[in-house]
Amino acid sequence: MSRRRLSALAAAVVLAVAPAAAARAQDAATLDERLRALAVPVRVLMIAAHPDDEDTQLLTWLARARGATTAYLSLTRGDGGQNLIGNELGEALGAIRTEELLAARRIDGATQYFTRAFDFGFSKTAEETYRHWPKDTILGDVVRVVRAFRPHFIVAVFSGTPRDGHGHHQVSGLLAREAYDLGADTVRFPAASHGRPWTVAKFYRSARFRPADATLSFDVGTYNVLRGRGYAELAGESRSQHKSQGFGVLQRKGAVLDHVTREATRVNAGTEARAERDLFDGLDTLAGPAPPGVAPDSVRRALDRLRQAIDLRDPWPTVERALAVVGRRPDDHLLVAQAAGLALEATADAPTVAVNDTVAVSLTLYNRGRVPVRWLPGDTVQPAVALAVALAVAAGHDTLVVAPGGSATRILRIVPTEATTPWWRRAGRNGDWWATPIAVAPGDVPDDESRAGLAVRIAVELPGAGRWPLAAPLVHRFADPVKGDQQRAVLAAPRIGVRLERAAAYVPAGRDVRRSLRVFVRSVARDTQVVRVSLELPQGLRTVTPAPVVRLAPGTEAAVTFDVQGRLPVGRHRLAAVASTGAGPSAAQWRNGYERIDYDHVRPLHLLRPATLELTGLEVALPARTDIAYLPGVGDNVRPMLEDLGFGVTALDPATLATADLARFRSIVVGPRAFEASEALYAARERLYAYVRGGGTLVLQYGQQELTRPGALPYPVTIARPHDRVTEEDAEVRVLRPGHPLLTTPNRIGDADWAGWVQERALYIPRTIDPAWTPLLAMQDAGEPAREHGLLVAPLGRGVLVYSSLAFFRQLPAGVPGAARLFVNLVAATPTAAGSRVP
């Protein structure tokens, strides 16, 4: 293809660019991999259910070693999981796990997609999962991704059978195969709503855990001399981004085998599956990387020669010739920018900007290459949640020429028209699936990286190579004294944000209560704001605090405290905080704020939330002594709910447990998975058991395999793999010891106390237990044997030890009344509840 033809083609096409393109690697190895990819027209889609389900080694190898355009489709964002690094659960955890997947993809080189399925928690069957996810809705999303991404083969991580365990896994395996079969079916899924039909050539299933079933095995640990690392090492780095799930892994050197099973093919049906020698077998019948009328083999040979001859110190001439051979692909802008030495930066002077305020963006193009570049007019901001006007540096110079070694700057003024929040949350949820469509138009399903935050996009023109897009995320850049250069995504927020510390709280019903309630107000406006804060209270509550007025300087937050008094009946009640500014026609009320999620390994996020507090009025009795200690676990929001109920709770630091005065506490509660999260706590566990032997009460919330280690518990338990759990939150509960004090004192637990539970009953239920334990409850999912070890009690010396696998960490923060009443009983346990003494 001539340079003139290439230039004409380039001028006619404007390509979409991911906002985080600048975050991708720019080293010589990446340049070599991008150049190799020009000769590989193959596109591969991997499909599974959750973040962390993907075969990262296979993704890395396909994308970087083989040059295939590779993507991972996760049905969910992992909202129903647990959290090893913080207390976020539910939708907030799903946002974290989404960002962890995007961080992984920036390392392994693949692209990331999702469907609208919400992770509602563990499910044991595909049938149960389909009761939460409308099948045609989620299958339609999978088909949309297939038709937009247009893969040549699909790799399903799961088998679609009960062997997969988790019902979500089974459904992902089933839908993957149905999407392969239906990709071109415009009767079932019309092109007008799901995009142009696409026929997938081959369908594989992962066999990495069942290599005997594999029809094809290959080494995914091959070494890249330019990187100085093998691809399995790189995959280990990618996999370790799933930090909220504790999935850090070793970066393995040497040969690492991976395995797949070919289940269906449309291109080499005459070749037995086990006779295949390569994943790409049969794909040479497809259109190659060549322009029409040019033999693909000749193009590949030409590209191989160019790649062998490239001067990595001056790669642009070779890349320019390679592009003239193959034309252009949607992802080639990354190769062009790197080879030409182009870098774009978009910075703002603050990390947060108010909706409808104007922010100046300094947009700088650096030319570190050897050819001049023309910066064309028409800079834009993506996504379209901001109005933008590009201003040239000097009047009359709409196009800027940036010489080699030079740079140029434009000032772009943007006015955000709505707050930044994860795109999929904009329309909320319909039960257990998100309402916001994944497609922006039929056949157009942007990957999640391209929808994450604000980005600025420009167009440049290179001599002989035509017009190309460049993009940069909009960031606030600053120097941290310890971490050095820091770049934080610029987020748009309400001018005034108002929030409460929590979304749910307990109130003992029918009693006079008095609570101090803190309300936080924040301003991101550019001028000082005078804000009046008030509460909207349910009937039965009042505040004696006059509505406070605060003056907020730009970018500051203040906390105001209300004294709330009164009494509430049994039931659910809602309280709201309101911030008001101005008077008359300029008066405004603000009822929302944002939760900021900020971890070093992911980009910061704003989750917009209404400033409301759901109060659960419940009838609950407390023991005479209410002074207890709490050792926090993971994803643990239980302690403040115990304070609501009337306990005086002291938070203990595991590091000081050896010297703490434990005898002053009526009971000690250990949070979920605390022994796993804190080596200091595990090492000091005998101190807790000595406290029990002296007459104390110790309540242990669920743990995982760490509790099966010898000596972890005074009386051993075993936990099966996979573990026993009861996932039906409304599963019937049968009392094994009627009249037992833990079920009667101080609150008599009845059938009503098992109503309204959320997500699941119990998890990591011990399979076998020492005879010293007394089981109190039996429960089961439909069609399964009863699980009788979800709540255990045992004597230890003069005290009592309680172990619970019940999902209190989900129930109490959700304000479930029966769970609170039962938890009070556990904390109130006395040696009488444990029976005879055991030393």
Side-chain angles (χ1 to χ4, degrees):
M1 180 182 291
S2 69
R3 290 188 181 181
R4 178 176 297 176
R5 182 177 175 187
L6 174 64
S7 180
L9 176 63
V13 181
V14 178
L15 303 176
V17 183
R24 303 271 184 174
Q26 299 292 320
D27 52 30
T30 302
L31 178 66
D32 179 65
E33 290 162 358
R34 288 171 175 162
L35 189 57
R36 178 195 292 121
L38 290 178
V40 183
V42 177
R43 303 174 73 84
V44 184
L45 179 64
M46 182 178 291
I47 301 176
H50 309 106
D52 73 36
D53 284 344
E54 76 272 29
D55 183 345
T56 311
Q57 293 177 341
L58 182 55
L59 286 176
T60 306
W61 181 72
L62 285 168
R64 296 203 176 275
R66 298 301 305 274
T69 303
T70 309
Y72 174 48
L73 170 60
S74 175
L75 297 190
T76 78
R77 298 174 185 273
D79 323 76
Q82 299 158 51
N83 186 357
L84 200 63
I85 61 173
N87 292 334
E88 297 89 355
L89 294 173
E91 293 184 13
L93 178 59
I96 292 172
R97 296 186 70 183
T98 295
E99 280 295 321
E100 288 179 336
L101 267 184
L102 297 181
R105 298 296 81 84
R106 290 192 285 273
I107 293 168
D108 59 42
T111 300
Q112 185 62 52
Y113 293 97
F114 296 91
T115 74
R116 285 176 285 174
F118 177 76
D119 181 354
F120 58 85
F122 193 87
S123 168
K124 293 182 177 178
T125 66
E127 292 73 22
E128 180 190 358
T129 300
Y130 282 137
R131 288 199 293 270
H132 291 264
W133 298 343
K135 179 179 176 181
D136 279 358
T137 298
I138 307 306
L139 174 58
D141 281 353
V142 178
V143 170
R144 286 185 177 94
V145 172
V146 166
R147 292 183 180 178
F149 184 69
R150 308 181 86 72
H152 297 102
F153 63 88
I154 289 173
V155 179
V157 172
F158 295 106
S159 68
T161 69
R163 183 180 78 200
D164 298 327
H166 201 319
H168 300 183
H169 294 170
Q170 297 175 47
V171 166
S172 76
L174 293 168
L175 296 186
R177 178 55 195 262
E178 289 190 64
Y180 169 82
D181 293 334
L182 298 171
D185 187 340
T186 55
V187 174
R188 178 82 177 273
F189 295 105
S193 56
H194 292 75
R196 291 184 297 116
W198 177 253
T199 300
V200 182
K202 295 198 288 184
F203 183 87
Y204 291 93
R205 293 196 189 272
S206 172
R208 57 178 168 156
F209 299 122
R210 300 174 67 91
D213 296 340
T215 60
L216 187 63
S217 301
F218 33 83
D219 179 10
V220 294
T222 52
Y223 180 69
N224 184 314
V225 67
L226 292 178
R227 289 191 178 279
R229 305 169 74 187
Y231 287 108
E233 293 176 84
L234 195 63
E237 182 182 349
S238 172
R239 182 71 172 169
S240 296
Q241 302 308 302
H242 296 294
K243 299 183 190 302
S244 68
Q245 305 307 295
F247 275 3
V249 299
L250 296 175
Q251 298 183 20
R252 298 172 60 189
K253 294 180 174 65
V256 177
L257 290 182
D258 209 333
H259 315 272
V260 296
T261 300
R262 195 188 80 188
E263 187 173 295
T265 183
R266 294 183 171 106
V267 291
N268 57 343
T271 303
E272 290 290 334
R274 292 185 182 274
E276 279 194 337
R277 292 293 176 263
D278 189 83
L279 282 167
F280 296 176
D281 280 2
L283 300 184
D284 54 359
T285 62
L286 303 172
V294 180
D297 284 345
S298 65
V299 171
R300 294 191 187 101
R301 288 194 295 271
L303 290 172
D304 285 343
R305 288 193 298 270
L306 288 170
R307 184 165 160 254
Q308 299 288 336
I310 192 170
D311 180 355
L312 291 175
R313 294 165 298 184
D314 184 19
W316 174 245
T318 301
V319 170
E320 185 182 12
R321 289 195 293 272
L323 292 172
V325 170
V326 300
R328 61 194 289 152
R329 305 189 321 171
D331 294 331
D332 290 344
H333 62 276
L334 299 173
L335 172 63
V336 168
Q338 184 180 0
L342 303 180
L344 181 66
E345 290 184 349
T347 60
D349 60 4
T352 309
V353 58
V355 173
N356 293 325
D357 268 3
T358 300
V359 59
V361 176
S362 178
L363 195 58
T364 302
L365 176 64
Y366 296 91
N367 184 356
R368 300 172 293 183
R370 301 192 180 188
V371 297
V373 60
R374 286 163 49 86
W375 182 354
L376 304 176
D379 308 333
T380 60
V381 176
Q382 296 177 313
V385 297
L387 305 176
V389 179
L391 302 180
V393 175
H397 293 276
D398 290 338
T399 296
L400 302 175
V401 177
V402 186
S407 65
T409 298
R410 282 177 174 162
I411 302 300
L412 191 68
R413 302 191 188 281
I414 68 169
V415 181
T417 57
E418 60 182 83
T420 306
T421 194
W423 68 268
W424 65 91
R425 299 181 77 244
R426 293 187 182 279
R429 284 193 282 128
N430 294 321
D432 288 323
W433 53 283
W434 296 101
T436 304
I438 65 168
V440 297
D444 185 1
V445 181
D447 65 273
D448 254 58
E449 185 72 81
S450 68
R451 304 173 90 158
L454 295 171
V456 179
R457 183 175 122 173
I458 71 169
V460 298
E461 190 174 75
L462 290 158
R467 175 175 174 158
W468 291 90
L470 292 180
L474 180 54
V475 300
H476 172 60
R477 190 174 184 184
F478 61 97
D480 183 277
V482 175
K483 298 177 181 178
D485 188 350
Q486 299 292 294
Q487 299 185 34
R488 298 297 182 91
V490 173
L491 303 174
R495 181 182 300 271
I496 302 296
V498 56
R499 64 180 179 87
L500 297 163
E501 290 183 282
R502 289 186 283 148
Y506 287 119
V507 176
R511 302 184 204 165
D512 289 332
V513 295
R514 184 170 184 171
R515 297 275 175 89
S516 291
L517 188 70
R518 286 205 302 171
V519 180
F520 297 86
V521 286
R522 171 182 288 273
S523 171
V524 294
R526 292 191 174 274
D527 54 357
T528 297
Q529 297 286 303
V530 178
V531 183
R532 181 181 298 274
V533 186
S534 60
L535 295 181
E536 295 177 347
L537 296 169
Q539 186 174 358
L541 294 184
R542 67 187 186 281
T543 179
V544 297
T545 306
V549 176
V550 295
R551 294 179 63 86
L552 293 175
T556 61
E557 183 177 68
V560 297
T561 302
F562 289 87
D563 184 2
V564 177
Q565 303 175 16
R567 61 173 58 192
L568 289 173
V570 170
R572 301 274 183 164
H573 314 275
R574 177 161 294 188
L575 176 155
V578 182
S580 303
T581 58
S586 63
Q589 284 193 336
W590 312 87
R591 295 175 174 270
N592 297 290
Y594 59 84
E595 175 186 354
R596 185 176 176 89
I597 298 176
D598 199 350
Y599 292 98
D600 284 346
H601 69 298
V602 295
R603 292 173 294 201
L605 295 164
H606 282 178
L607 299 185
L608 293 176
R609 296 193 183 282
T612 58
L613 177 65
E614 187 170 88
L615 301 169
T616 299
L618 75 163
E619 293 180 346
V620 60
L622 298 181
R625 285 186 61 190
T626 58
D627 48 330
I628 66 174
Y630 198 93
L631 288 152
V634 301
D636 188 357
N637 297 297
V638 168
R639 180 172 64 86
M641 309 306 289
L642 296 179
E643 292 172 336
D644 290 344
L645 295 170
F647 287 103
V649 186
T650 299
L652 291 182
D653 182 350
T656 63
L657 194 59
T659 59
D661 177 15
L662 303 183
R664 63 192 177 98
F665 299 114
R666 188 245 178 274
S667 303
I668 298 176
V669 180
V670 178
R673 297 173 65 184
F675 282 173
E676 176 188 6
S678 172
E679 282 295 331
L681 177 59
Y682 185 81
R685 66 192 184 282
E686 287 300 332
R687 182 87 167 85
L688 293 175
Y689 302 148
Y691 158 80
V692 181
R693 291 186 178 96
T697 297
L698 180 64
V699 179
L700 297 173
Q701 296 179 69
Y702 91 96
Q704 297 185 355
Q705 296 297 330
E706 71 277 2
L707 294 184
T708 67
R709 294 158 63 179
L713 295 174
Y715 312 121
V717 302
T718 65
I719 296 175
R721 293 179 185 267
H723 65 276
D724 295 334
R725 65 196 302 170
V726 177
T727 64
E728 296 171 9
E729 64 271 21
D730 57 353
E732 181 183 358
V733 178
R734 180 165 50 90
V735 176
L736 300 177
R737 300 289 189 276
H740 192 281
L742 259 64
L743 302 175
T744 60
T745 308
N747 302 287
R748 182 167 292 277
I749 303 303
D751 291 344
D753 291 299
W754 301 109
W757 284 48
V758 298
Q759 188 159 324
E760 56 194 338
R761 288 283 195 210
L763 65 170
Y764 290 91
I765 303 171
R767 174 68 62 87
T768 64
I769 59 174
D770 186 271
W773 293 108
T774 297
L776 301 181
L777 303 172
M779 59 193 73
Q780 66 203 82
D781 284 330
E784 293 199 351
R787 308 299 180 190
E788 298 187 346
H789 301 153
L791 181 59
L792 307 173
V793 61
L796 183 61
R798 293 187 293 113
V800 57
L801 180 64
V802 178
Y803 180 76
S804 172
S805 297
L806 298 172
F808 287 118
F809 76 104
R810 297 197 192 279
Q811 312 311 320
L812 268 64
V816 177
R821 286 164 42 84
L822 178 58
F823 204 97
V824 168
N825 286 10
L826 306 188
V827 176
T830 65
T832 304
S836 59
R837 295 183 184 178
V838 179

